[in-house]
């Protein structure tokens, strides 16, 4: 199916014309199932002719690309006011990475956001097939937007997107080697608090919980002793019991940022009642006594507002959403089939960086979902030599985090005070980091 796109000059709830160029559209990526991926494209607010183009993916899998646009690195945000019906208001966010890069926010895998398959079979994707669809998307998008083909191109994203981004970059790099048209100018990739390998993530979730004072020395030591390095499939009762105890203690706090209030993430109740549909709670750990409406001072309040905004007809018309494709918009949809079929992405990290692609791996340092210790550990396992040893990186005369640079243009950086989605918690620091890295400056 042919691609379709629309220039969006006004958005409901935004006062006046948008002060940036926004285009939305669909790109067909699979004929048999009628699969089309939906995107939001924001042109760089600096020098779009030469600035990098960044494809931004959200985790989940199947969180909408809109999460990246409105909550992470894009130029809009919700006005956080108590919701009492009607259309939530949005405003301009100056700390947007579109200040130095054009960004494509993509709803991928199919089923997320407004991406859809005419035949429900099209939703049966996994790591490999959804990554191939992103490659098809990019080939078509660049064919339709040839003016951006010579710009440096990067792929970025967080959490589960960080798991598939090296695979997508691998596919693109193989296309480049075969001189496939359109020839994409891939320069590298960046991933934040990226999911990598379960055993790394869980074992360091435990040591990080210990370091943050969530579990005691005694519990920590007992778990290390009885689990013998396997925290995914406990081999004895003692270990299993300790892991339950640890998860119980972690459930007292917000594991996406240990210092923040524990909040319900999504699932506004009023939609349940009005449309008679069931919302799924985003995280199984959130099923407890919490009300389904987050408090106004919760960092998830904007997520809550997004459901009302997105499911309003005026918004859908403005965005050019095809009627009858997606019922209700959900920020992170659960319950669709997904095959976690890629055992590890470390081989792709290794392959891409040794072949000259630049890589930035960053970690919000207060996240327990993908803790920085876990990320540091797999990076070390690559066995690259250090070219710029561990040091603070600064913003406004203060340490904004710590960083270490390896050969093969691989940089690791922490974001002091950041959580699972670092730009959401520390927008200034993340903006500075991204600007320096994208402009080829040291952090
Ligand atoms: C399938 O296996 C795993 C998946 C994840 C995914 C987390 C994730 O994407 O979080 C979401 O990130 C996005 C940001 O990309 C946020 O917007 C969402 O709120 C958040 O839920 C993590 C794991 O272990 C640490 C796994 O083992």
């Amino acid at each position: 199916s042919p691609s379709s796109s629309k220039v969006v000059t006004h958005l409901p709830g935004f006062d006046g014309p948008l002060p940036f160029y926004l285009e939305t559209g669909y790109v067909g990526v699979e004929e048999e199932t009628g699969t089309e991926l939906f995107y939001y494209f924001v042109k760089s607010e600096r020098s779009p002719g030469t600035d990098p183009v960044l494809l931004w993916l959200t985790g989940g899998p199947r969180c909408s690309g809109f999460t990246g646009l409105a909550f992470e690195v894009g130029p809009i945000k919700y006005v956080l006011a108590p919701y009492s019906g009607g259309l939530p208001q949005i405003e301009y966010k100056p700390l947007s990475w579109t200040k130095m890069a054009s960004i494509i926010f993509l709803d991928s895998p199919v089923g997320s956001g407004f991406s859809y398959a005419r035949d429900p079979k099209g939703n049966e994707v996994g790591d490999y097939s959804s990554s191939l669809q992103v490659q098809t998307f990019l080939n078509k998008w660049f064919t339709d937007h040839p003016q951006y083909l010579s710009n440096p191109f990067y792929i970025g994203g967080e959490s589960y997107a960080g798991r598939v981004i090296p695979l997508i970059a691998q596919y693109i790099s193989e296309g480049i080697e075969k001189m496939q048209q359109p020839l994409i100018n891939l320069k590298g990739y960046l991933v934040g608090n990226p999911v990598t390998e379960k055993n790394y993530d869980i074992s360091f979730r435990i040591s990080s919980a210990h370091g943050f004072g969530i579990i005691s020395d005694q519990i920590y030591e007992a778990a290390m002793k009885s689990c013998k390095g396997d925290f995914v499939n406990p081999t004895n009762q003692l270990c299993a019991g300790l892991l339950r105890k640890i998860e119980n203690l972690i459930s007292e706090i917000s594991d996406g940022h240990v210092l923040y209030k524990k909040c319900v993430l999504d699932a506004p109740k009023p939609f349940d009642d009005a449309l008679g549909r069931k919302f799924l709670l985003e995280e199984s750990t959130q099923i407890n006594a919490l009300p389904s409406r987050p408090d106004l001072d919760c960092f998830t309040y904007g997520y809550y507002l997004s459901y009302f905004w997105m499911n309003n007809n005026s918004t859908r018309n403005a965005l050019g959403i095809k009627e009858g494709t997606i019922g209700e918009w959900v920020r992170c949809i659960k319950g669709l089939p997904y095959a976690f079929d890629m055992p590890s992405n470390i081989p792709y990290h290794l392959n891409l960086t040794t072949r000259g692609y630049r890589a930035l791996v960053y970690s919000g340092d207060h996240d327990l979902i993908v803790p920085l210790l876990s990320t540091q550990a797999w990076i070390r396992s690559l066995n690259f030599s250090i070219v710029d040893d561990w040091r603070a990186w600064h913003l406004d005369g203060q340490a904004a985090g710590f960083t270490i640079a390896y050969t093969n243009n691989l940089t690791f950086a922490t974001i002091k005070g950041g959580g699972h989605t670092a730009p959401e918690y520390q927008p200034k620091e993340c903006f500075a980091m991204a600007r320096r890295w994208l402009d080829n400056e040291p952090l």
Side-chain angles (χ1 to χ4, degrees):
S1 54
S3 312
S4 54
S5 68
K6 164 173 191 189
V7 178
V8 181
T9 57
H10 291 76
L11 280 176
F14 191 96
D15 199 16
L18 295 177
F20 51 85
Y21 174 93
L22 171 66
E23 172 192 312
T24 59
Y26 292 90
V27 172
V29 294
E30 196 177 69
E31 203 65 56
E32 311 91 88
T33 53
T35 298
E36 298 196 319
L37 300 186
F38 184 78
Y39 69 90
Y40 307 78
F41 171 67
V42 181
K43 206 187 269 191
S44 171
E45 298 166 68
R46 191 176 63 178
S47 314
T50 48
D51 281 343
V53 173
L54 173 62
L55 172 72
W56 191 259
L57 300 168
T58 313
R62 282 202 174 96
C63 291
S64 61
F66 184 73
T67 291
L69 173 61
F71 303 113
E72 293 169 357
V73 302
I76 59 168
K77 60 179 180 195
Y78 285 93
V79 177
L80 299 177
Y83 184 70
S84 55
L87 199 70
Q89 301 293 295
I90 51 175
E91 61 189 354
Y92 180 65
K93 185 171 74 195
L95 283 170
S96 168
W97 295 14
T98 52
K99 281 272 160 39
M100 59 273 186
S102 297
I103 310 184
I104 309 166
F105 297 94
L106 183 64
D107 281 343
S108 174
V110 54
S112 63
F114 290 118
S115 292
Y116 73 101
R118 194 189 55 239
D119 177 346
K121 266 204 158 49
N123 284 323
E124 292 168 15
V125 292
D127 294 327
Y128 292 110
S129 53
S130 66
S131 298
L132 284 168
Q133 290 187 346
V134 174
Q135 183 188 23
T136 305
F137 168 86
L138 285 171
N139 285 337
K140 290 199 173 181
W141 190 89
F142 274 110
T143 302
D144 294 338
H145 300 78
Q147 66 272 35
Y148 293 106
L149 255 183
S150 58
N151 300 52
F153 176 67
Y154 292 95
I155 308 178
E158 305 189 323
S159 196
Y160 199 80
R163 189 164 158 81
V164 289
I165 283 168
L167 177 61
I168 298 166
Q170 170 81 24
Y171 288 148
I172 306 297
S173 75
E174 285 167 8
I176 294 168
E177 254 163 40
K178 290 184 216 135
M179 295 292 280
Q180 250 168 36
Q181 300 297 320
L183 203 59
I184 295 172
N185 190 12
L186 179 69
K187 291 288 181 214
Y189 60 94
L190 63 161
V191 288
N193 294 72
V195 176
T196 299
E197 278 185 37
K198 218 178 185 89
N199 210 40
Y200 272 108
D201 294 340
I202 298 186
S203 114
F204 289 105
R205 176 176 169 91
I206 297 170
S207 38
S208 303
H210 178 224
F212 281 124
I214 297 159
I215 61 171
S216 67
D217 290 348
Q218 291 91 327
I219 298 170
Y220 175 68
E221 281 160 21
M224 288 300 134
K225 205 165 154 223
S226 62
C227 296
K228 301 184 182 71
D230 186 350
F231 303 98
V232 181
N233 303 300
T235 52
N236 60 71
Q237 285 297 310
L238 191 57
C239 166
L242 283 159
L243 292 182
R244 270 198 303 277
K245 186 169 199 159
I246 290 169
E247 282 308 319
N248 258 324
L249 288 163
I250 291 177
S251 77
E252 294 281 343
I253 55 107
S254 160
D255 64 352
H257 192 306
V258 299
L259 301 181
Y260 274 59
K261 262 180 87 159
K262 191 173 158 71
C263 295
V264 70
L265 290 180
D266 285 309
K269 265 279 184 288
F271 264 101
D272 263 15
D273 307 339
L275 302 177
R277 296 196 190 97
K278 275 264 164 292
F279 270 89
L280 294 163
L281 283 181
E282 194 189 11
E283 315 273 336
S284 56
T285 53
Q286 299 287 327
I287 300 171
N288 52 27
L290 286 169
S292 67
R293 178 184 184 132
D295 294 341
L296 186 58
D297 65 348
C298 271
F299 83 100
T300 56
Y301 200 79
Y303 298 172
Y304 171 72
L305 293 177
S306 68
Y307 287 75
F308 300 101
W309 190 78
M310 274 300 201
N311 289 307
N312 190 295
N313 276 335
S314 65
T315 305
R316 290 187 170 218
N317 288 338
L319 293 174
I321 304 308
K322 294 185 184 176
E323 266 179 60
T325 52
I326 288 285
E328 139 193 55
W329 178 90
V330 177
R331 194 182 70 83
C332 293
I333 196 160
K334 294 282 153 100
L336 291 174
Y338 189 87
F340 298 93
D341 46 12
M342 174 182 54
S344 170
N345 62 11
I346 293 178
Y348 305 114
H349 280 293
L350 194 59
N351 181 57
L352 290 160
T353 49
T354 51
R355 280 173 34 202
Y357 292 103
R358 305 177 65 218
L360 171 65
V361 183
Y362 61 90
S363 289
D365 66 1
H366 282 68
D367 179 25
L368 277 191
I369 300 175
V370 183
L372 81 93
L373 291 178
S374 163
T375 306
Q376 231 192 125
W378 69 253
I379 291 179
R380 266 187 87 184
S381 81
L382 300 174
N383 252 321
F384 290 170
S385 41
I386 297 167
V387 296
D388 185 1
D389 210 348
W390 188 268
R391 61 169 174 84
W393 67 276
H394 299 92
L395 182 65
D396 301 333
Q398 292 288 322
F402 294 85
T403 183
I404 184 168
Y406 293 91
T407 52
N408 300 321
N409 284 315
L410 170 67
T411 303
F412 172 69
T414 70
I415 309 290
K416 185 162 71 81
H420 187 53
T421 47
E424 217 170 335
Y425 298 95
Q426 297 293 72
K428 252 178 95 174
E429 287 73 12
C430 288
F431 177 87
M433 172 192 71
R435 219 263 319 132
R436 292 174 201 175
W437 189 77
L438 288 167
D439 285 346
N440 288 296
E441 292 171 15
L443 293 191

